[in-house]
Amino acid sequence: MFFVDTIELAGLGNRSYLAGGENAAVAVDPPRDIDQVLAAAARRGVRISHVVETHLHNDYVTGGLELARITGAQYLVPADANVSFARIPVADGDTVEIDPGSRVALAALATPGHTPHHTSYVLREAGRPVAVFTGGSLLIGTVGRPDLVEPRLTERLARAQHASAHRLAAGLPDETAVLPTHGFGSFCSSAQSEGDRTTIGKEKATNTALTVDVDTFVADLLAGLEDVPAYYVHMGPANAAGPDPVDLTPPSLADAAEIAARLAAGEWVVDLRSRVAFAEGHVAGSFNFEADGKIATYLAWMIPWGKPVTLLAESAEQLAAAQRELVRVGIDRPAAAATGGPDAWLPRGEKPASFPRSTFAGLAARGTDDVVVLDVRRDSERAQGGIEGSAHIPLHQLHGRLGEVPPGTVWVHCAGGMRAAIAASLLDATGRDVVAVDDGFDAAADAGLPLTTG
């Protein structure tokens, strides 16, 4: 009897999988922190005989090479992927036995589109397709974006996505489970997926790649693409070169004097605590990226690549969780860290900095005539409507455009509060008077704020 275990990477919006039979299993698109995969195999009592990649990932650093080295598994990578390490090149139609005793096998199916070399893998039990690992090809209700490789290839890859989706749909039974890597909040997805499971049959009925003609599909797909996270440019080369093993040991601890010195040197000091705690009191000049938010995506997107970062956490557990998130995107070792709170992070006698939080109702009661309202949502969100007279700078651009924020007290908002908190911390660090609007954007209309549409 076959099994499939899902390994959630919620912070990045991705999934990895462990699948197999009674004795052996394959790891599909494993994360950098491979201990999760090893633990899943141990719970099942199986050995990892194979590790496979659907493509060279653009949004995270793979753990595939290290996992194969540690377990002795065969490491399968699409043959046309240009890599500089030893692996078993896999091509369309190749089949490998994962657990012969359980009659579980894996068949490669070329599905270019997300990348030119993208490969899906059909999991078979006794010759019958039971699931397909689609990586960044067919996702839940959408497909992987085709613009992450080379701008000149984008339209060609978009057309390939349409063809690959149709190949999967035509070649597999309707009941086949579709198990993508991307699409659960990942920016590798061309649109945000709804739901957490699907089948070939369901996708035939709902996925636009399978319900509209290729020209319409390509035009709509390309029109909906948004900015690419800046750190993506570093992920593909890291995966092609062969990532180093991770080091998740605790970083060196910094005292108040070292924290101050690192701030003075222009390094990033990142406070991982909740946005509520940060607003109430923090080290002046530090930035707030909540550990419970999408820290890997937004910190890696915004920090100048390679700049040293010191992490401030309320506990050793929070620090360890953040380290794990960050190694997945190539931020391997914090320069230093500290735990506790501002009282431990500031020199004796120095008071924490703070700023107020409010809601859209609070903004409406205050009035917008003599304050700056700053919207840090993405362009696609802004296109659906915004507060009349507000400024708009997407969060991922804000650090480089702080000089464009008009003078005055800044009431900063996003769609829910997390990104507004990051933005507020950036503005606060420059000495601006700021109010973080910690509220859902739907509440703006309910509060009577005048909105623009389109």
Side-chain angles (χ1 to χ4, degrees):
M1 182 67 179
F2 80 96
F3 73 87
V4 177
D5 288 342
T6 301
I7 299 168
E8 294 277 0
L9 303 175
L12 292 176
N14 285 331
R15 288 178 175 177
S16 295
Y17 302 94
L18 183 75
E22 293 184 3
N23 300 302
V26 57
V28 182
D29 290 342
R32 184 91 181 277
D33 46 325
I34 61 172
D35 55 340
Q36 294 187 92
V37 187
L38 295 171
R43 286 192 295 271
R44 286 283 182 179
V46 296
R47 66 182 181 88
I48 298 174
S49 59
H50 295 78
V51 178
V52 301
E53 305 283 3
T54 56
H55 61 293
L56 290 184
H57 304 284
N58 292 288
D59 63 330
Y60 70 93
V61 182
T62 182
L65 184 63
E66 178 66 1
L67 182 60
R69 185 188 69 80
I70 286 179
T71 62
Q74 297 184 45
Y75 190 28
L76 277 59
V77 177
D80 290 338
N82 187 16
V83 299
S84 57
F85 50 83
R87 89 293 191 202
I88 297 174
V90 62
D92 185 54
D94 288 351
T95 300
V96 293
E97 298 292 333
I98 302 301
D99 189 339
S102 299
R103 303 181 69 188
V104 174
L106 204 65
L109 193 66
T111 49
H114 187 49
T115 67
H117 60 264
H118 191 283
T119 301
S120 298
Y121 298 92
V122 180
L123 185 70
R124 294 175 177 167
E125 183 184 50
R128 177 178 62 92
V130 291
V132 56
F133 301 104
T134 55
S137 184
L138 189 65
L139 311 184
I140 300 178
T142 185
V143 295
R145 58 192 299 170
D147 61 328
L148 302 180
V149 177
E150 157 62 51
R152 292 171 295 181
L153 296 178
T154 297
E155 183 173 348
R156 186 191 313 171
L157 290 176
R159 291 182 179 277
Q161 278 289 50
H162 188 270
S164 291
H166 280 263
R167 185 182 188 198
L168 288 163
L172 294 170
D174 283 357
E175 65 271 19
T176 307
V178 175
L179 304 174
T181 299
H182 305 312
F184 309 95
S186 167
F187 283 91
C188 270
S189 176
S190 63
Q192 292 310 305
S193 304
E194 294 185 4
D196 62 357
R197 62 186 60 199
T198 191
T199 63
I200 289 292
K202 290 179 181 177
E203 293 308 303
K204 284 181 179 180
T206 60
N207 195 310
T208 55
L210 298 170
T211 59
V212 302
D213 66 89
V214 62
D215 290 333
T216 301
F217 168 78
V218 169
D220 291 347
L221 178 62
L222 299 186
L225 295 174
E226 299 192 81
D227 288 350
V228 177
Y231 71 92
Y232 276 25
V233 70
H234 304 286
M235 301 296 96
N239 288 325
D244 294 328
V246 298
D247 178 2
L248 289 174
T249 58
S252 62
L253 295 179
D255 58 15
E258 183 178 347
I259 293 169
R262 290 188 177 278
L263 281 168
E267 298 182 11
W268 277 37
V269 174
V270 171
D271 191 324
L272 302 169
R273 295 174 303 145
S274 76
R275 55 186 183 259
V276 175
F278 183 88
E280 290 176 348
H282 56 269
V283 177
S286 62
F287 303 143
N288 181 216
F289 289 80
E290 291 180 302
D292 291 339
K294 294 178 74 70
I295 177 176
T297 294
Y298 283 105
L299 179 55
W301 196 338
M302 297 173 67
I303 191 171
W305 198 252
K307 182 176 282 290
V309 59
T310 294
L311 300 178
L312 306 181
E314 63 186 7
S315 66
E317 292 76 18
Q318 186 180 68
L319 174 61
Q323 273 188 267
R324 182 176 290 273
E325 289 281 339
L326 293 176
V327 298
R328 294 171 180 164
V329 293
I331 301 178
D332 282 8
R333 293 296 297 168
T339 58
D343 289 345
W345 303 336
L346 289 165
R348 187 182 301 275
E350 186 172 320
K351 293 184 178 180
S354 63
F355 54 77
R357 297 165 53 250
S358 190
T359 61
F360 285 111
L363 176 58
R366 165 66 176 75
T368 61
D369 289 345
D370 58 347
V371 297
V372 178
V373 179
L374 177 63
D375 181 350
V376 296
R377 295 175 300 159
R378 295 189 300 277
D379 288 342
S380 62
E381 297 169 288
R382 176 74 172 191
Q384 301 303 312
I387 296 173
E388 194 172 281
S390 61
H392 175 233
I393 302 176
L395 174 62
H396 61 273
Q397 299 176 11
L398 181 60
H399 190 251
R401 298 175 60 186
L402 288 167
E404 299 178 30
V405 181
T409 299
V410 183
W411 285 63
V412 59
H413 79 84
C414 59
M418 181 195 74
R419 287 173 290 172
I422 298 173
S425 73
L426 296 177
L427 291 160
D428 175 75
T430 68
R432 296 294 300 268
D433 291 329
V434 62
V435 179
V437 178
D438 194 354
D439 205 354
F441 187 69
D442 288 346
D446 296 338
L449 289 164
L451 302 181
T452 61
T453 56

